[in-house]
Amino acid sequence: MFGRFFSFLLFQFAAALAGWLIAPHGRPALGALVGVFSAGLLWVAFDLLRGFRVLGWLRRGDMSDAALSGGLWGEISERTRRLVRSREQQARDSELRLQEFLAALQASPNGVVLLDSQRRIEWFNQTAATHFGFDVQRDLLQHFGNLVRDPRFAAYYASHDYSRDVTFPGRGSKPNRPVTLSVHIHPYGKGRQLVLSRDVTALEQAEAMRRDFVANVSHEIRTPLTVLSGFVETLQTLPLEEPERERYLALMAQQAERMQILVNDLLMLSRLEGSPLPAADGWVSLSSLMQRLEEDARALSAVLCQASGGRAHALSFDVQDKLEIAGSSSELLSALSNLVSNAIRYTPCGGKVHASLQVLEGGRAEFAVTDSGPGIDAEHLPRLTERFYRVDRSRSRESGGTGLGLAIVKHVAQRHNAELMIESTPGRGSRFALIFPSGRWRQEHRRPEASQMASDQRVEITSTSLS
Ligand code: ADP
């Protein structure tokens, strides 16, 4: 600034001197004055020119280069350029941060909707769009309350008490495919609101399943318990003859056994759900298991058919390939024995039950049980492995069923990477097969402890379902 002022003075002085020297005789002072004035005009004109160039440059807005170099206007343009570029950089950084923030909200598994102070939709993520059926083009700046019309939500929205969430059926919810949303509003800033939505269908279903399960277990236990306490009361109050007393005690033992079977199956299920997966390198000989299964199947058939006065079942057990399966012996035994005992229990006495073990074409191994029983209608097949699902309730109860057998089989199959295949034709019989992938079986290697293991397993089979 000082340099510029000094240059101006120097220029004026030079102009004054020039005026002084070239002025006519006797008028050097006037000449100097004219010189100073003309120099001043020239300086201002030149300055204006540079100022207009800077103005033009500002108007164009192209900040890639300074408008001028040097001088006051050069410095103004350079400083302006630097200021604008630094602001541009700041704006770019802010935009980037905003985009990253929105991308994080977009990646959220929850639906996020931002409402302005008039409760209009400012922004929402894709999950919220799915939950509420929003469309970016159509619904931005619409009032949120006009778009989500469920009465439970409307009451919550109007209450202004957002200390809890509200659940209501989500968009596209149907009786056969329900969708449940949980929505929670969080006020923030100056009258703004953040709406969080969660799909809680699976949670709700799990909760409903838990409630059903508790109700089912209570119901299953209550029946034998009621019978049992009735007999206890009779024994306590009535003076009974010995044969009658014995009959009552036998019936009580039967009910107690029924409860015990149920508790065993429940414990088995909870072990299957809660324990780590069985090791894939513990080998279980299925062919030895088949021998034990056959003995127990014959015993079960004899008990059931003697009681009803019928002929025992025609049983055949066919080990085509001697195989070992990698997994847990107690789990496999439980699954196979459930399939065999079901076939016997649901096939009328004198009917056929055939169990087989073989390697299939393609390298998978199959354990299958085929019976000539009543078969199962196709509509029941998808639900057979649900806990307590029974097609023939009375037959299941009469023959000591708990309604948990196939649920156990399904869990064991999953834990051994096996597939449970059920084929059935009403009136002609059923076929239940467990199919193990190629990496899960091998040809049997006889070991000295195999027979010991098989006899250990026999304890399981009798206690889980053939008893
Ligand atoms: P349960 O203990 O009642 O036998 P499961 O889970 O083992 O329970 O089987 C579920 C239902 O599937 C049974 O109640 C029965 O109605 C049907 N079921 C299972 N196996 C057979 C079969 N081999 N033949 C006909 N129905 C069967």
Side-chain angles (χ1 to χ4, degrees):
M1 199 64 202
F2 179 75
R4 186 173 161 76
F5 182 64
F6 185 71
S7 317
F8 178 73
L9 285 183
L10 203 66
F11 185 60
Q12 293 289 64
F13 178 73
L17 190 66
W20 182 282
L21 291 176
I22 61 173
H25 284 297
R27 300 252 176 111
L30 185 65
L33 202 65
V34 171
V36 166
F37 184 71
S38 320
L41 271 182
L42 209 64
W43 185 275
V44 169
F46 184 66
D47 229 28
L48 264 179
L49 194 72
R50 285 170 64 85
F52 277 121
R53 277 183 63 187
V54 171
L55 189 63
W57 171 78
L58 280 175
R59 281 190 182 138
R60 280 197 305 281
D62 174 14
M63 298 284 153
S64 53
D65 226 338
L68 300 167
S69 62
L72 181 68
W73 289 111
E75 191 173 338
I76 287 174
S77 66
E78 179 55 27
R79 280 178 186 271
T80 310
R81 189 179 75 90
R82 275 198 228 146
L83 193 69
V84 169
R85 301 214 50 178
S86 111
R87 290 289 144 84
E88 278 177 354
Q89 187 57 42
Q90 278 175 9
R92 271 199 299 275
D93 290 348
S94 302
E95 174 70 19
L96 194 70
R97 270 202 298 280
L98 179 68
Q99 289 309 328
E100 281 170 358
F101 179 69
L102 292 180
L105 290 182
Q106 197 61 270
S108 158
N110 294 334
V112 181
V113 184
L114 302 180
L115 305 184
D116 66 12
S117 52
Q118 262 98 54
R119 297 175 139 198
R120 288 176 311 189
I121 300 170
E122 272 188 324
W123 184 88
F124 54 82
N125 67 0
Q126 190 47 47
T127 313
T130 314
H131 286 170
F132 300 112
F134 288 164
D135 179 274
V136 184
Q137 307 293 332
R138 190 190 58 207
D139 296 328
L140 277 183
L141 294 180
Q142 296 295 315
H143 284 274
F144 188 66
N146 291 345
L147 300 181
V148 184
R149 306 301 293 255
D150 183 88
R152 266 160 287 185
F153 176 74
Y156 170 75
Y157 194 57
S159 73
H160 292 273
D161 172 14
Y162 303 137
S163 52
R164 56 177 184 91
D165 62 343
V166 60
T167 47
F168 57 94
R171 202 182 143 78
S173 181
K174 295 194 187 93
N176 58 345
R177 255 190 79 238
V179 178
T180 310
L181 285 186
S182 154
V183 173
H184 200 163
I185 295 181
H186 301 269
Y188 74 101
K190 288 190 181 152
R192 291 169 174 273
Q193 287 172 338
L194 168 77
V195 182
L196 291 181
S197 60
R198 261 183 329 135
D199 186 335
V200 291
T201 314
L203 272 178
E204 291 272 308
Q205 277 170 351
E207 180 54 21
M209 271 171 68
R210 192 192 62 77
R211 277 196 304 268
D212 287 355
F213 183 68
V214 171
N216 275 319
V217 171
S218 314
H219 178 76
E220 293 291 330
I221 288 188
R222 196 178 51 195
T223 315
L225 211 54
T226 313
V227 178
L228 208 55
S229 54
F231 282 139
V232 169
E233 211 180 301
T234 312
L235 287 175
Q236 281 172 336
T237 50
L238 294 180
L240 297 173
E241 296 292 318
E242 191 54 27
E244 208 167 6
R245 222 174 74 87
E246 268 171 24
R247 196 173 65 83
Y248 277 24
L249 283 173
L251 288 170
M252 285 166 72
Q254 209 178 42
Q255 296 303 322
E257 191 189 14
R258 191 171 149 191
M259 284 198 287
Q260 200 175 3
I261 294 172
L262 177 68
V263 170
N264 282 345
D265 275 2
L266 286 170
L267 284 175
M268 182 70 187
L269 259 184
S270 104
R271 264 205 306 276
L272 290 173
E273 284 176 347
S275 60
L277 288 179
D281 55 359
W283 293 95
V284 181
S285 161
L286 277 204
S287 20
S288 332
L289 279 193
M290 290 277 280
Q291 266 179 18
R292 301 297 166 191
L293 285 175
E294 184 171 356
E295 284 172 23
D296 290 328
R298 287 192 191 287
L300 178 68
S301 170
V303 170
L304 288 177
C305 298
Q306 257 167 25
S308 65
R311 205 155 38 88
H313 297 86
L315 302 176
S316 53
F317 281 68
D318 180 15
V319 178
Q320 289 178 19
D321 297 284
K322 291 195 159 195
L323 304 178
E324 292 179 327
I325 300 286
S328 151
S329 58
S330 61
E331 289 182 21
L332 287 167
L333 183 63
S334 180
L336 304 196
S337 66
N338 267 307
L339 293 182
V340 173
S341 75
N342 276 356
I344 293 171
R345 285 168 40 233
Y346 293 105
T347 302
C349 289
K352 285 187 202 146
V353 172
H354 175 72
S356 63
L357 178 64
Q358 61 175 321
V359 176
L360 300 175
E361 267 178 43
R364 297 197 293 167
E366 181 195 69
F367 169 82
V369 184
T370 311
D371 64 55
S372 63
I376 305 161
D377 273 336
E379 68 187 84
H380 297 292
L381 294 182
R383 299 196 58 190
L384 283 189
T385 56
E386 284 176 24
R387 294 160 187 195
F388 297 111
Y389 188 84
R390 291 165 165 126
V391 182
D392 187 344
R393 191 164 287 273
S394 59
R395 177 117 186 107
S396 162
R397 290 241 165 80
E398 274 165 26
S399 59
T402 59
L404 297 173
L406 290 179
I408 291 175
V409 175
K410 185 188 79 177
H411 271 81
V412 173
Q414 281 172 347
R415 287 164 62 84
H416 289 77
N417 307 115
E419 206 182 328
L420 172 64
M421 302 274 288
I422 308 174
E423 294 160 60
S424 191
T425 314
R428 298 189 55 188
S430 314
R431 186 174 194 274
F432 289 75
L434 276 174
I435 302 176
F436 297 89
S438 53
R440 203 85 206 187
W441 65 268
R442 69 180 187 190
Q443 294 292 344
E444 187 167 318
H445 297 272
R446 269 248 159 251
R447 282 161 301 162
E449 68 271 24
S451 54
Q452 177 60 42
M453 191 179 69
S455 63
D456 290 347
Q457 287 158 347
R458 186 178 158 69
V459 177
E460 258 325 297
I461 196 169
T462 46
S463 67
T464 49
S465 59
L466 291 187
S467 53

